[in-house]
Amino acid sequence: MNLATPIENIPRIGPVFKKKLKKLGIKTVQDLLFHFPRRYEDFSNLIPISKIKINEICTVYGKILEIKTNRTWKRRMFLTQAIIEDETGAIKVTWFNQPYLTKVLKKEDNVFLSGKAIISKNGIYLSNPIYEKGDLSSDLTHTGRLIPVYPETAGLSSRWLRFILKPLLINLENQIDETLPEEIVKEYNLMPVKKALWEIHFPSSVKLSQKAQDRFSFEELFYIQLFVLRERNRFNQEKSASLLIKLETIQDFVKSLPFKLTDAQKKSAWQILKDLERQRPMNRLLEGDVGSGKTVVAAMAALNTIKQGYQTAFMAPTEILAKQHFLEVAKLLQDFKVNIGLLTGKQDQFRSKKLKNQVIEISRKKLLEKTIGEINPHTKDLVVGVDILIGTHALIQDKVKFGKLGLVILDEQHRFGVEQRAKLCRSQDIVPHLLSMTATPIPRTLALTVYGDLDLSLIDELPKGRKKIITKVIKQGEREKTYDFIRKEVKKKRQIFVICPRIEKNDDNEELSEAQMSWAKVKAVKEEYEKLSKEIFPDLKVKMLHGKMATKEKENIMKDFKNKKTDILVSTSVIEVGIDIPNATVMMIEGAERFGLAQLHQFRGRVGRAGYQSYCLLFTDSHTKKTYQRLRALINSEDGFKLAEKDLEIRGPGDFSGTRQWGIPDLMMNSLKNISLVEKTRESAKEILLEDPQLKKYSQLRAKLSRFRQRIHLE
Ligand code: ADP
Ligand code: MG
């Protein structure tokens, strides 16, 4: 057996477990060894039975005096009860629902038990301890030490993983080669891989397990940096059209706007226009809080591109947003003679420069013909009929071909810009410039990792004259008052959002895990909609919106809300990005603790867009310190970046878009908070690439990166 051996060939793993492993993407012995624990349980406190303290985690060692399993008829559960004894005393032990235990553990067996003693009316007993047979000289796997706890996915227990992993590590120890370049291991004083694998699965101390985690964190980040920097290098060698700044047009555009651009908008726009002038492709992320005015900046870049004879593709995450961008861009560019197409799932539209201010329906075929364009027989020039094509993912279908694509704008598409652009420019030999936009503020450490291959422009200021949104946590018992307040706002002709964390309430008959139970209590859109529309506001127009609805239905509901036909919209987080409803003044959020700070901030940004005093009202049933801390942070700050940093600090990076697809193990996620680690890995990746850009000397690294690339392609 070696590291590349498929798990099929591991004799100790049966067919059921093989399937489960595959589900987790574990195909080889190596994958299995690199399946890391999520955390550790410290069972190293081995004590005599007489020293057991209530509610304290401990390990005891003793002989089983008796053991039996009964069925409790009332609750239909198996109850296994035992007594174990050492020289200092004896204690009762109970396990629930593990009837097979009496097959494994027999009277007179010596066992280690790790867990907590609790007290009830039946006395003191060890409750559901982890067991392990053996004697005091045994090399323990499950008890009496720091034990690894693995992510409980796909029905694989930590006990089973420990049982499988230990012999594998013993057998293969000598085949594990260092995966990082030796000079880096040395320079950064990292734990060598062989030792680190042992210490991560079966740590000999907290300190050493930490060193092992540090090593693997370094390694993960190092790969990401290497990948990102190589992408950047690769990209820098491509060619794209140099689109010189049409200063007069830009000035006319700025003059045509009904408002004055903020300094931050001007600065970002200038950075983008400067990038477009170069012969190598722009690769820029425009980051700006909700409502900071990214669309105008994007429209300016598109205009410049068009006036240099090239097309712009503008891709949005949903149909609603694509449509909104279409109308907004059409309005912004109405004096500049551009043809704009809208290509979405079903309904395509077109706005011709000839038909001023008029939008027409157009067939898909026609729109695609206009997009690819045709050669003028006299001048031999390519003439395209669409200057800007706006749409959803539909834009990257094979059928859509651009005649002369110069710029790709991606709204809220995050990481995959490079991929999507690749698809968009299949048909031509120059690479279009790429502008990604996001309202998700990304803390610096994360931006360096996740967007390390992009240049960054920030719109870090909101247009003047916006009123501060009043944010409040509503206390229990003030719900009625809040509903009265909402009624008053509706009387003033304002509109209300109500956000719920989930779509449906769980079926009561379902058996739920504890985590699911707490979810089940969370407010559901359907239930809340029923309540609000029938009981609380029967006289008002209440509508509901969620992700499981058909696109058309969603669009109609959004449209009605936008056209003020609805007073209250009860929704899941689907309204999160980009929707512009200037008349909305109240954002009411149920189960606020369920959302990340950055996301809450995004919701809040949906209101207060038109100068009316607006409100963000937070409801929560969670009274933990963490919730309190987080909601306070939201109340005290309007700065998306600060909130994102805070979120990272309090919750870790798990929820940030753009981190998941790197497949960083949970245990290493925390390392993303560590800016000095991120910078170190970036430096080391740079050094390696400087010395050996093709990684000729590093076959291990090349292999790893190609796996990375595959994973990203698959997303
Ligand atoms: P986002 O950055 O969230 O995409 P938008 O581009 O949708 O923001 O802009 C939000 C609103 O602000 C739009 O109605 C837009 O017309 C307006 N806007 C943009 N820039 C300015 C500005 N400098 N002054 C005033 N209003 C602006
Ligand atoms: Mg937007």
Side-chain angles (χ1 to χ4, degrees), residues 573-585:
S573 60
V574 288
I575 56 118
E576 186 180 350
V577 271
I579 303 290
D580 203 9
I581 312 281
N583 194 47
T585 55

Side-chain angles (χ1 to χ4, degrees), residues 294-295 324-325 411 437 578:
K294 294 183 289 294
T295 320
Q324 185 178 300
H325 283 319
D411 193 21
M437 304 197 290

Side-chain angles (χ1 to χ4, degrees), residues 56-289:
E56 226 168 67
I57 287 177
C58 66
T59 299
V60 294
Y61 176 68
K63 187 191 290 269
I64 299 178
L65 292 185
E66 55 179 78
I67 183 161
K68 59 175 192 292
T69 293
N70 291 321
R71 206 155 177 179
T72 62
W73 285 111
K74 216 160 88 190
R75 295 173 66 193
R76 296 238 238 67
M77 275 197 302
F78 289 102
L79 181 65
T80 305
Q81 288 177 302
I83 295 180
I84 77 153
E85 178 193 60
D86 67 6
E87 299 93 70
T88 68
I91 187 165
K92 275 198 278 190
V93 189
T94 36
W95 287 278
F96 286 104
N97 277 339
Q98 301 181 44
Y100 52 86
L101 274 180
T102 36
K103 293 210 183 73
V104 187
L105 300 177
K106 305 273 191 228
K107 197 169 158 170
E108 301 287 311
D109 279 348
N110 285 317
V111 285
F112 290 88
L113 297 175
S114 290
K116 247 188 218 173
I118 58 174
I119 189 164
S120 78
K121 59 182 189 305
N122 302 321
I124 295 172
Y125 61 94
L126 282 174
S127 165
N128 277 320
I130 294 183
Y131 63 91
E132 181 163 18
K133 284 204 273 191
D135 58 55
L136 285 170
S137 65
S138 304
D139 173 27
L140 295 172
T141 305
H142 308 290
T143 61
R145 58 177 302 152
L146 276 175
I147 66 150
V149 180
Y150 296 87
E152 297 267 316
T153 34
L156 290 173
S157 75
S158 292
R159 188 179 185 96
W160 184 82
L161 280 163
R162 291 193 291 266
F163 164 77
I164 292 294
L165 279 164
K166 202 160 186 186
L168 281 179
L169 269 174
I170 292 171
N171 287 332
L172 294 171
E173 189 158 10
N174 292 323
Q175 298 185 31
I176 298 169
D177 292 330
E178 182 52 61
T179 43
L180 282 170
E182 293 289 349
E183 62 263 37
I184 285 184
V185 176
K186 227 183 256 142
E187 190 179 341
Y188 294 95
N189 191 20
L190 304 172
M191 188 183 267
V193 69
K194 207 182 287 180
K195 187 168 163 64
L197 275 176
W198 268 111
E199 292 294 344
I200 201 130
H201 289 295
F202 301 101
S204 39
S205 70
V206 173
K207 206 168 151 207
L208 288 177
S209 87
Q210 189 56 50
K211 265 216 94 171
Q213 289 174 46
D214 290 347
R215 181 233 140 86
F216 288 119
S217 299
F218 186 100
E219 189 167 358
E220 286 294 333
L221 293 183
F222 173 73
Y223 291 144
I224 295 176
Q225 299 294 0
L226 206 54
F227 182 83
V228 152
L229 290 172
R230 275 189 102 200
E231 281 299 305
R232 197 182 180 112
N233 286 349
R234 200 185 302 247
F235 206 63
N236 281 347
Q237 282 154 19
E238 309 264 17
K239 271 191 74 142
S240 56
S242 158
L243 308 168
L244 298 179
I245 301 179
K246 284 257 181 190
L247 206 53
E248 240 172 76
T249 309
I250 295 300
Q251 281 165 346
D252 288 345
F253 175 76
V254 173
K255 266 187 244 150
S256 77
L257 294 172
F259 44 73
K260 244 182 98 210
L261 290 175
T262 62
D263 288 344
Q265 280 173 315
K266 281 186 213 158
K267 194 169 139 215
S268 300
W270 190 248
Q271 287 170 334
I272 293 164
L273 292 174
K274 274 294 183 200
D275 275 4
L276 292 177
E277 286 198 316
R278 296 195 292 195
Q279 279 198 1
R280 63 176 185 75
M282 166 169 79
N283 204 13
R284 190 170 279 279
L285 178 68
L286 176 61
E287 223 182 320
D289 227 335

